Amino acid sequence: MITKHFTILFITLSLTFVSCGKKKEEPVVSHETALTDTTKTSLPVNNIVFDTTAKTIHVYVALCDNKYQGIVPVPKAIGNGQDPDNNLYWGCGYGVRTFFKKSTEWKLLKKEKKDTIIMERLVFKHTSKNYYLIADAYNGKYIKQCTKDFLNSSAGKLKDTLNVNGITLGIAGNSKLITYTGHDGLMDFNLYDDYTNTDGKKRDVIILACYSKSYFGKHLKKANVNPLVWTTGLMCPETYTLHDAISGYINGENNTQIQQRAAAAYSKYQKCSVKAAKNLLATGW
């Protein structure tokens, strides 16, 4: 009998190189209209003092969504962007929530429902070092807002804090490492906001989405970021790549070492050569 987990694994492997291949038609929007986009920013900007000895990693996840994203549709059960529990990038075996919960390196401290945009937030604590990981599952319908929040955080324009067990953590742009996982929505829509760095701080970023170096790079040119891992082609943004890259990051490894970890994980799970994985998962500018 084929298990549910094996079925999902087979499906996701078969979709690796086609999930970003289809674009939905988007209404033409004038530059002026785009500049007046008043979509709610789901994380407020604040200047609350936070514990700088506690290092934070903020993970932005745009839930896979057949209806609202320009992807080749995945099976309905894992492609509902309003259902985090069964979503390909969150509740499935290689989704962020499931993979980090099973990791021996991380302990789940908090799980909460947020709102219609951020459907769920998780807070993990590293088991041996003073690192916290905050993961936000964005409703797939709001992939554009997720992308904007990631970019604004990377530039230091969007900052927030979070209290966990009496400790005030710096999140969003107050994090040193900021990551994005999901479909590359910039293949479907344009952004005209300015993501120029505002505070002179250099943040590390990981962007696991198809062709993320070319699509996200143009928005991050003035954001003063250090791209640890991003991509040069089609890819499957499942969590093993992110998890292992973060492991290297916490161990103080450099860009090349982190890239090698990410490539090794991708090679292992995607059954491709390490060389191919390294060509796909680039580091730096």
Side-chain angles (χ1 to χ4, degrees), residues 234-259:
L234 297 173
M235 67 94 63
C236 182
E238 293 178 323
T239 309
Y240 37 80
T241 309
L242 178 65
H243 176 276
D244 286 17
I246 288 176
S247 295
Y249 180 79
I250 288 176
N251 287 334
E253 295 178 358
N254 61 34
N255 278 38
T256 301
Q257 291 170 318
I258 292 170
Q259 177 206 23

Side-chain angles (χ1 to χ4, degrees), residues 150-151 180 184 205-221 225-233 235 241 245 255 258-259 262 277-285:
F150 165 77
L151 290 169
Y180 175 87
D184 187 344
V205 298
I206 295 174
I207 310 173
L208 298 182
C210 296
Y211 293 102
S212 59
K213 183 175 182 179
S214 55
Y215 280 90
F216 282 78
K218 59 186 178 182
H219 293 289
L220 292 172
K221 280 291 185 182
V225 298
N226 172 33
L228 297 177
V229 180
W230 51 3
T231 66
T232 59
M235 67 94 63
T241 309
N255 278 38
I258 292 170
Q259 177 206 23
K278 288 180 69 175
N279 287 335
L280 171 66
L281 300 168
T283 186
W285 290 97

Side-chain angles (χ1 to χ4, degrees), residues 34-281:
L35 287 172
T36 58
D37 184 356
T38 56
T39 305
K40 171 183 173 290
T41 298
S42 34
L43 292 176
V45 177
N46 68 53
N47 294 309
I48 296 174
V49 176
F50 57 91
D51 185 352
T52 57
T53 65
K55 308 301 181 183
T56 55
I57 299 167
H58 200 136
V59 177
Y60 289 93
V61 180
L63 296 180
C64 179
D65 199 308
N66 287 335
K67 183 177 181 181
Y68 295 106
Q69 296 172 10
I71 62 174
V72 173
V74 300
K76 183 178 179 180
I78 61 177
N80 182 347
Q82 293 71 56
D83 179 16
D85 289 342
N86 297 296
N87 196 268
L88 178 62
Y89 300 146
W90 195 257
C92 282
Y94 296 141
V96 167
R97 183 176 72 186
T98 303
F99 204 88
F100 276 97
K101 281 182 69 176
K102 290 182 177 180
S103 171
T104 58
E105 298 177 32
W106 296 93
K107 178 183 179 181
L108 179 63
L109 298 183
K110 187 176 183 180
K111 171 184 172 183
E112 64 176 340
K113 303 295 182 183
K114 292 290 291 179
D115 50 42
T116 57
I117 296 179
I118 301 178
M119 303 196 73
E120 186 170 278
R121 168 170 287 174
L122 305 176
V123 181
F124 292 90
K125 172 71 170 62
H126 196 266
T127 55
S128 62
K129 298 187 179 181
N130 196 21
Y131 272 88
Y132 292 81
L133 186 146
I134 294 82
D136 286 336
Y138 277 67
N139 184 330
K141 181 179 180 179
Y142 298 106
I143 185 173
K144 185 174 184 179
Q145 189 61 49
C146 182
T147 303
K148 292 173 68 173
D149 286 353
F150 165 77
L151 290 169
N152 279 316
S153 296
S154 299
K157 300 180 75 171
L158 178 61
K159 298 180 180 180
D160 202 5
T161 57
L162 178 68
N163 189 278
V164 178
N165 297 338
I167 300 173
T168 301
L169 302 174
I171 65 173
N174 286 323
S175 301
K176 184 64 170 64
L177 172 58
I178 302 164
T179 82
Y180 175 87
T181 292
H183 171 58
D184 187 344
L186 295 173
M187 299 173 73
D188 306 324
F189 53 76
N190 294 316
L191 295 179
Y192 299 99
D193 299 321
D194 178 20
Y195 300 106
T196 300
N197 181 275
T198 57
D199 59 9
K201 296 180 180 179
K202 184 181 286 291
R203 295 167 179 84
D204 301 306
V205 298
I206 295 174
I207 310 173
L208 298 182
C210 296
Y211 293 102
S212 59
K213 183 175 182 179
S214 55
Y215 280 90
F216 282 78
K218 59 186 178 182
H219 293 289
L220 292 172
K221 280 291 185 182
K222 298 181 180 179
N224 192 31
V225 298
N226 172 33
L228 297 177
V229 180
W230 51 3
T231 66
T232 59
L234 297 173
M235 67 94 63
C236 182
E238 293 178 323
T239 309
Y240 37 80
T241 309
L242 178 65
H243 176 276
D244 286 17
I246 288 176
S247 295
Y249 180 79
I250 288 176
N251 287 334
E253 295 178 358
N254 61 34
N255 278 38
T256 301
Q257 291 170 318
I258 292 170
Q259 177 206 23
Q260 290 173 344
R261 277 185 182 259
Y266 197 82
S267 170
K268 173 184 175 181
Y269 285 90
Q270 288 295 318
K271 309 300 182 185
C272 65
S273 70
V274 174
K275 180 180 179 180
K278 288 180 69 175
N279 287 335
L280 171 66
L281 300 168

